[in-house]
Amino acid sequence: MAKYDLTPLLVPYLDRHLVFPLMEFLSAKDIYNKNDTLQAKVDILSKTYMLDYIIDIITELYPDKKNMDELFERRAEILDQLMALKDANKDILDLLSNDGVMANISGMREGPKGLVAFLTKEYDFNIENIDRFYTLAKFVYECGNYTHSTSYLYFCLLVMPPTDKNYLNVLWGKLASEILSQGWESALDDLNKLKEYIDANTFSSSLQSLQHRTWLIHWSLFIFFNHVKGRDLIIDMFLYKPNYLNAIQTMCPHILRYLAAAVILNKQRRSALRDVVKVIQQESYTYRDPITEFLEHLYVNFDFEGARQKLHECQVVVFNDFFLVACLEDFVENARLMIFETFCRIHQCISIGMLAEKLNMNPDEAECWIVNLIRNARLDAKIDSKLAHFVMRTQPMSPYQQILEKVDSLSVKSEALQALIERKVKARIQDPRWGQDYNN
């Protein structure tokens, strides 16, 4: 299944600490040679300070290797550096360990300037030391202590103005720490803060803005497939934010796998199907896999046999995908429902045996599945067990649902139009020739 493994495409846009969980997943799946995977882990960790992990992996990779004195010496040096950094930042660490101080800080709404003034007056805090404290936070992160790096970087964000040279790095570090600590609510907040910062700031070049958005797209996958609202948020960001859809189409069309999967998994966002399929068709020459092809077969070609075959391949792809594996049962259930709904739009009287074949089920399973749909009020039909078929009743779309879909479509078009107008206005303002009399 290495053919459909996206890890080589994802890794260039992830911090090496975020890559490590993917490598652990691949080790469990045996997709690649075990020794190759272990060596890849060593290569990833070699530029971090996680020496205990490195020693364990090298011991597993080279059981006969006896002399690892160099690694133990490096480990001792790192511990010494960590102690030295903690001693140098003792004043700030004492503040963070004081529950009363942290309670006061959490309750303040004055912003960085007001908070710094308060800390300076009450606790003799010196903002000039924040760069040194940021160095400690980054060092602790490289050691793999994500809980401490989260709290340290949180303090940095509280006292740093957005114009600080390290502010953007702190935003990225805090997001990575929250992801690795699996604090999904806080991680979502950090994702939104970073997104706002990237969208509001003009980087030195358009390419740099594009790169930041591409990194954010990849990092956000950890959140969207773990947060309870993630399946809605990924559609909103990847499909209906023009800058991010442009980044996907330009830099990373492989992300369409996750956008397509999110639409399949989300029954409430079926109105997004048309837009997703359109994007998949546009990018089919650069990227395709069984999940994107499943939607093409079903909604472009109406090829139910092709969709059935692709659904079987999709199960293998989802099972071997780090971000999608937890959604396997939901994915198969919803994909079958999509085949079923589309098939029923074309046929009114349907053989249960024929439907079972389309859904990769046996006839008894298919009949039970249809009965459950009718029972749960998701299907208006009746079953004739003697003739082994069921008859669909007409199901016109409610006016309410039609209005909702129209409003969704209009809001997307309005946002795209607004973004276009803002770009045009900005270009005119920046153009020194604007307003000159060209007739002279």
Side-chain angles (χ1 to χ4, degrees), residues 25-195:
F25 177 81
L26 291 178
S27 296
K29 293 296 181 182
D30 289 328
I31 295 175
Y32 298 100
N33 177 273
K34 180 182 177 181
N35 287 344
D36 291 343
T37 306
L38 288 172
Q39 186 59 55
K41 288 183 186 179
V42 173
D43 294 339
I44 291 165
L45 295 174
S46 62
K47 294 183 180 178
T48 72
Y49 301 146
M50 300 166 69
L51 267 294
D52 289 331
Y53 274 119
I54 296 173
I55 291 169
D56 289 344
I57 294 170
I58 289 179
T59 301
E60 184 179 357
L61 185 58
Y62 305 108
D64 298 328
K65 187 178 177 69
K66 303 297 182 185
N67 186 10
M68 290 197 286
D69 292 343
E70 185 179 341
L71 289 174
F72 284 108
E73 287 174 7
R74 188 181 169 210
R75 182 179 182 276
E77 289 173 3
I78 288 169
L79 289 174
D80 289 341
Q81 291 176 38
L82 179 59
M83 292 305 297
L85 282 169
K86 285 186 174 181
D87 289 341
N89 289 280
K90 188 176 183 303
D91 53 342
I92 299 179
L93 291 175
D94 288 343
L95 284 177
L96 295 182
S97 63
N98 187 321
D99 293 338
V101 175
M102 293 310 295
N104 286 334
I105 290 175
S106 300
M108 293 186 69
R109 296 290 181 268
E110 285 80 359
K113 190 175 290 187
L115 180 56
V116 169
F118 168 76
L119 292 174
T120 303
K121 180 181 177 182
E122 298 294 330
Y123 301 101
D124 198 26
F125 172 72
N126 186 355
I127 189 61
E128 299 297 326
N129 295 333
I130 198 64
D131 286 349
R132 189 176 62 198
F133 189 66
Y134 164 72
T135 302
L136 170 63
K138 190 172 187 304
F139 195 94
V140 169
Y141 174 80
E142 292 296 348
C143 290
N145 191 337
Y146 307 121
T147 304
H148 283 173
S149 66
T150 298
S151 62
Y152 295 171
L153 291 167
Y154 170 69
F155 181 77
C156 289
L157 285 176
L158 287 177
V159 299
M160 274 184 179
T163 54
D164 190 283
K165 62 181 180 181
N166 289 320
Y167 188 80
L168 182 57
N169 292 333
V170 171
L171 286 174
W172 282 111
K174 177 73 162 47
L175 176 59
S177 297
E178 291 289 3
I179 289 171
L180 292 161
S181 301
Q182 299 185 12
W184 303 121
E185 285 294 340
S186 298
L188 180 59
D189 290 340
D190 291 332
L191 175 70
N192 289 329
K193 286 177 187 174
L194 187 52
K195 180 176 174 293

Side-chain angles (χ1 to χ4, degrees), residues 286-400:
T286 57
Y287 179 78
R288 55 175 50 218
D289 68 20
I291 296 177
T292 62
E293 289 177 325
F294 169 78
L295 291 180
E296 277 193 290
H297 280 300
L298 192 56
Y299 292 104
V300 179
N301 305 325
F302 296 99
D303 178 2
F304 295 101
E305 178 60 25
R308 183 189 69 79
Q309 293 174 358
K310 288 301 172 185
L311 177 56
H312 181 72
E313 293 178 28
C314 285
Q315 293 180 58
V316 181
V317 171
V318 171
F319 182 74
N320 289 288
D321 188 289
F322 173 83
F323 295 106
L324 299 178
V325 64
C327 310
L328 179 58
E329 288 186 16
D330 284 349
F331 183 93
V332 174
E333 175 70 14
N334 281 284
R336 281 175 174 166
L337 187 59
M338 292 169 83
I339 293 175
F340 178 75
E341 289 174 343
T342 307
F343 197 75
C344 290
R345 287 197 194 106
I346 301 171
H347 306 279
Q348 187 175 11
C349 184
I350 304 167
S351 162
I352 292 175
M354 180 192 298
L355 185 66
E357 183 183 347
K358 303 295 181 191
L359 299 177
N360 287 336
M361 303 168 78
N362 65 51
D364 291 338
E365 285 178 336
E367 184 171 354
C368 289
W369 188 72
I370 295 166
V371 168
N372 286 331
L373 287 178
I374 296 172
R375 223 177 251 159
N376 296 328
R378 291 163 63 191
L379 179 66
D380 187 9
K382 62 179 182 179
I383 294 179
D384 188 330
S385 297
K386 289 183 179 178
L387 298 176
H389 66 219
F390 67 96
V391 179
M392 292 292 301
R393 298 188 179 98
T394 57
Q395 294 177 295
M397 184 182 290
S398 70
Y400 175 72

Side-chain angles (χ1 to χ4, degrees), residues 416-430:
L417 182 60
Q418 180 185 357
L420 179 62
I421 292 170
E422 287 175 354
R423 285 200 300 271
K424 293 284 187 183
V425 170
K426 188 176 179 181
R428 287 178 177 179
I429 292 172
Q430 292 176 346

